[in-house]
Amino acid sequence: MTRTKPADEQPEPAPDATPTAVPAPAPAGSADTTGRYEPYPGAEFFHGGRYSPINTAAGARLTREGHAPAGKTLGPDWTTAHRDAWQSYQQSLRPKGGGDTSGIPDESAWNQLKVPRVSPLPKEA
């Protein structure tokens, strides 16, 4: 007599060996349409007294890219350390003074840094 196992004891079927499609990264300088990255908040966003998790996320990316001042943690308060890190990053993008290296992020530098999204996605209408 052969006994069959109940459905909950049946072995799982082997996963499909077909690779899943991974979306191609957006070309450099193009706007993120997937919502993975924080949109550029505008130059007026970056000033002393600004407290935001966006500053922390950008600071973490700048640190990972090697542009944070030694011994400084780039937290949610916008500080001169943030400005110095952005200035260093902008200078790496634009050697020999070839553009804005003020330390205030411009849209081009922001998009190239690819800051992960920390703000909520806008609701669709």
Side-chain angles (χ1 to χ4, degrees):
M1 177 163 153
T2 316
R3 179 180 171 269
T4 57
K5 292 182 180 179
D8 61 337
E9 291 181 20
Q10 293 291 330
E12 292 289 321
D16 187 10
T18 308
T20 58
V22 176
S30 66
D32 171 43
T33 58
T34 64
R36 295 182 316 181
Y37 303 117
E38 194 63 47
Y40 179 62
E44 65 281 351
F45 179 85
F46 304 99
H47 60 79
R50 171 68 72 180
Y51 183 93
S52 173
I54 295 171
N55 289 335
T56 305
R61 285 290 299 128
L62 288 164
T63 300
R64 224 170 294 129
E65 293 292 322
H67 297 284
K72 299 283 184 175
T73 300
L74 302 175
D77 286 314
W78 177 262
T79 64
T80 56
H82 286 85
R83 189 199 64 224
D84 293 346
W86 273 104
Q87 187 172 35
S88 172
Y89 180 67
Q90 289 170 320
Q91 289 169 346
S92 73
L93 297 176
R94 304 171 181 121
K96 299 181 184 174
D100 179 18
T101 58
S102 65
I104 300 299
D106 56 274
E107 190 166 8
S108 174
W110 182 268
N111 290 340
Q112 289 180 52
L113 187 60
K114 296 188 180 344
V115 176
R117 183 177 274 284
V118 293
S119 64
L121 287 170
K123 294 183 180 179
E124 293 185 22

